[in-house]
Amino acid sequence: MAKAGEDLVTAYDGARLDARYWISIALGISTSVFDYFDYYVVGFLVAVLAPQWQLTFGQTSLILLSAGVGAIMGSLAWGALADRFGRKVLLVAGVTLCALSAGSVSLIPDGAWIAFAVLRFFVGFGVGAAASVAVPLIVEYTPTRHRTLVTSATVIPVSLGILAASLSAATLLDQIGWRGLAALGFLPLLPALLIGLIMPESVRWLVSRGRDAEARRIVARALRVAPEALPSSPAIETVAKAQSAGFAELLQEPRRIWLTLIVWFGASTANYGVFLWGPTIVALLMGVSAVEVAHLFVIVSLTGMIGRAIFSVLAQRIGRRRCGEIMGYGIALSLGAAGLFFDRTLFGYPAFVVLLIPAALFFDGGFSNIAPYSAEIFPVRLSARGVGLAQAANGVGKIAGPLCLALIAGTSNLITPKATIDAVTPAFLFLAACGLAIGLAFTVLGIETHGRPLALEASQPGEGAGTGVARPGREAEVGVAARPTPS
């Protein structure tokens, strides 16, 4: 028996990438760019406000950690909701929440660090919510033959958010002040509106939910044929079961769960630890202002973008699993070296600064490989929950990154050179260990998804759930022993 919706999805998979596809992808990318700008600009805001408001190390840590807590809750909640109610509306809602919260930081009174932390919580909630929906939507929207390259490439511009945060702080901070910089957080409201007007719902999600008529209209428009000319879809046998969207179903996929948790926790901890506390460490090492540090981190951000481009092409050539190994072991070596040799000088600069530049190829560049991966390894009916789980681990990493320094330096201390500098080596060795965990996870648990079609439904108990065994009569699921389609 054919898999539910297989004929209709196969027809859709053969659609060409038209103007509406590229506009929709561009809008999805723009929301991520703006969201990550909002997320990372706080590192420069804190660098300015900590001395002005006389914040303690513990207070600054709470401001930074609150977004991570929000991201965990937002990703888990929106992942479950998106599997039940759809991708598009929840994507718009998540981006809107992030934008309103980020921009509202510019309106808080001086010294109101608690209000700052609360708003950062909702920024994180919105970022986690949007990511848990945008990733499966883009992955499901893209034909299998183009999926690895295109979906990886969509992650490249996300580095523009980090770059824009650095450039904005470097060029605008003195002119518009920290409030003006924070007010830029309202910008994602525009792409959120355009997504609501232009981007279609995921055909694969509609078919997995038994909403055949809606799926047929979208496929017909993509193929430019009449809906009645499309192949019929076999009846959905699990519509009643599909009405639920709990996380209990994910327990049938333990291998994928552990792979997701380890990879995303490790990657986020390394990335967030560097970008949030890196500017403070560099300022202390070099004795320069936040604006001068921002100029240096522009180079780090650009390197990360180059790394994302490299990993996008590399995944198409050697597959996602091998790229994951390169990312993990590369983080371990580069950040370990930065932690051990931070106080030495290379090319007239602290070695810490110089070593962060090539390290960004791995701790930032590798995200172009793992971001689509979290949607690809789970079947469509579980995809948003799988990505939500990934983003929850991402949020925990966003907490662990700065928290590792806070615990080592002591949260009762002010931000002083002694407290922060003493924390560099042990903290960055911890971040390097996270990279090692990523590499080992891909080596031991990794599943290859390149060139393999997405499964609509989860495996049933005893039918290959997480074991690499395909069901008889079914198209092989992602991660099982199937021949990849030609690159």
Side-chain angles (χ1 to χ4, degrees), residues 398-443:
K398 287 178 170 65
I399 294 173
L403 185 60
C404 69
L405 279 178
L407 293 177
I408 292 170
T411 56
S412 61
N413 295 324
L414 296 174
I415 300 180
T416 64
K418 181 178 185 300
T420 303
I421 294 301
D422 287 347
V424 174
T425 296
F428 272 74
L429 288 179
F430 167 72
L431 300 182
C434 290
L436 179 61
I438 295 170
L440 292 174
F442 272 101
T443 298

Side-chain angles (χ1 to χ4, degrees), residues 45 49 53 99-110 115-116 119-120 176-186:
L45 295 179
L49 295 179
W53 293 0
L100 292 176
S101 302
S104 296
V105 170
S106 64
L107 306 177
I108 63 175
D110 288 336
F116 193 175
L119 286 172
R120 292 304 302 174
I176 64 178
W178 72 267
R179 291 186 184 277
L181 192 63
L184 297 176
F186 287 122

Side-chain angles (χ1 to χ4, degrees), residues 285 337-338 341-346 349-357:
L285 285 171
F341 306 114
F342 76 95
D343 55 351
R344 302 187 185 182
T345 302
L346 287 175
Y349 292 94
F352 180 82
V353 178
V354 177
L355 290 171
L356 281 187
I357 295 174

Side-chain angles (χ1 to χ4, degrees), residues 124-204:
F125 191 101
V127 169
S132 66
V133 182
V135 173
L137 178 56
I138 291 174
V139 167
E140 294 162 13
Y141 193 24
T142 304
T144 302
R145 64 189 186 280
H146 299 300
R147 193 183 68 230
T148 299
L149 181 60
V150 172
T151 59
S152 295
T154 61
V155 185
I156 298 173
V158 174
S159 293
L160 287 174
I162 304 171
L163 176 62
S166 299
L167 282 174
S168 298
T171 60
L172 299 177
L173 190 55
D174 288 338
Q175 284 72 40
I176 64 178
W178 72 267
R179 291 186 184 277
L181 192 63
L184 297 176
F186 287 122
L187 291 176
L189 291 173
L190 177 59
L193 174 63
L194 293 176
I195 286 174
L197 296 174
I198 297 173
M199 199 168 191
E201 181 57 271
S202 164
V203 168
R204 288 177 170 85

Side-chain angles (χ1 to χ4, degrees), residues 33-58:
V33 171
F34 285 124
D35 286 350
Y36 276 81
F37 169 86
D38 292 342
Y39 212 106
Y40 283 96
V41 77
V42 69
F44 299 103
L45 295 179
V46 167
V48 173
L49 295 179
Q52 287 185 11
W53 293 0
Q54 297 183 334
L55 300 178
T56 66
F57 200 89

Side-chain angles (χ1 to χ4, degrees), residues 70-379:
I72 296 170
M73 299 180 67
S75 58
L76 291 175
W78 250 240
L81 291 172
D83 275 340
R84 182 166 186 177
F85 298 110
R87 318 301 198 203
K88 179 178 173 179
V89 173
L90 288 168
L91 174 58
V92 172
V95 174
T96 301
L97 175 61
C98 177
L100 292 176
S101 302
S104 296
V105 170
S106 64
L107 306 177
I108 63 175
D110 288 336
W113 70 270
I114 295 178
F116 193 175
V118 171
L119 286 172
R120 292 304 302 174
F121 169 85
F122 286 107
V123 170
F125 191 101
V127 169
S132 66
V133 182
V135 173
L137 178 56
I138 291 174
V139 167
E140 294 162 13
Y141 193 24
T142 304
T144 302
R145 64 189 186 280
H146 299 300
R147 193 183 68 230
T148 299
L149 181 60
V150 172
T151 59
S152 295
T154 61
V155 185
I156 298 173
V158 174
S159 293
L160 287 174
I162 304 171
L163 176 62
S166 299
L167 282 174
S168 298
T171 60
L172 299 177
L173 190 55
D174 288 338
Q175 284 72 40
I176 64 178
W178 72 267
R179 291 186 184 277
L181 192 63
L184 297 176
F186 287 122
L187 291 176
L189 291 173
L190 177 59
L193 174 63
L194 293 176
I195 286 174
L197 296 174
I198 297 173
M199 199 168 191
E201 181 57 271
S202 164
V203 168
R204 288 177 170 85
W205 177 80
L206 289 171
V207 171
S208 74
R209 301 290 295 185
R211 293 165 61 171
D212 185 70
E214 296 170 70
R216 289 172 70 83
R217 285 195 295 270
I218 296 174
V219 175
R221 184 168 54 210
L223 297 177
R224 299 181 180 180
V225 299
E228 55 271 17
L230 293 171
S232 60
S233 298
I236 299 292
E237 299 176 357
T238 57
V239 173
K241 180 181 177 182
Q243 300 307 312
S244 65
F247 280 87
E249 289 180 79
L250 286 179
L251 297 179
Q252 299 178 23
E253 309 288 347
R255 176 181 176 181
R256 291 163 172 79
I257 289 174
W258 283 111
L259 177 61
T260 298
L261 291 175
I262 295 171
V263 167
W264 275 95
F265 173 83
S268 178
T269 298
N271 185 274
Y272 204 66
V274 171
F275 276 110
L276 278 189
W277 287 114
T280 301
I281 294 171
V282 172
L284 293 169
L285 285 171
M286 301 182 65
V288 296
S289 68
V291 172
E292 293 173 289
V293 173
H295 281 95
L296 291 173
F297 267 77
V298 168
I299 301 175
V300 176
S301 300
L302 284 172
T303 306
M305 179 174 284
I306 294 171
R308 294 188 183 211
I310 292 172
F311 272 97
S312 296
V313 175
L314 199 61
Q316 183 76 12
R317 301 291 296 178
I318 67 174
R320 296 214 184 277
R321 184 178 181 182
R322 295 298 176 224
C323 282
E325 292 176 321
I326 292 172
M327 175 192 183
Y329 297 134
I331 290 173
L333 292 174
S334 57
L335 292 189
L340 290 172
F341 306 114
F342 76 95
D343 55 351
R344 302 187 185 182
T345 302
L346 287 175
F347 310 112
Y349 292 94
F352 180 82
V353 178
V354 177
L355 290 171
L356 281 187
I357 295 174
L361 291 171
F362 305 104
F363 70 74
D364 189 15
F367 275 91
S368 66
N369 181 57
I370 68 172
Y373 188 68
S374 57
E376 293 172 349
I377 62 175
F378 289 96

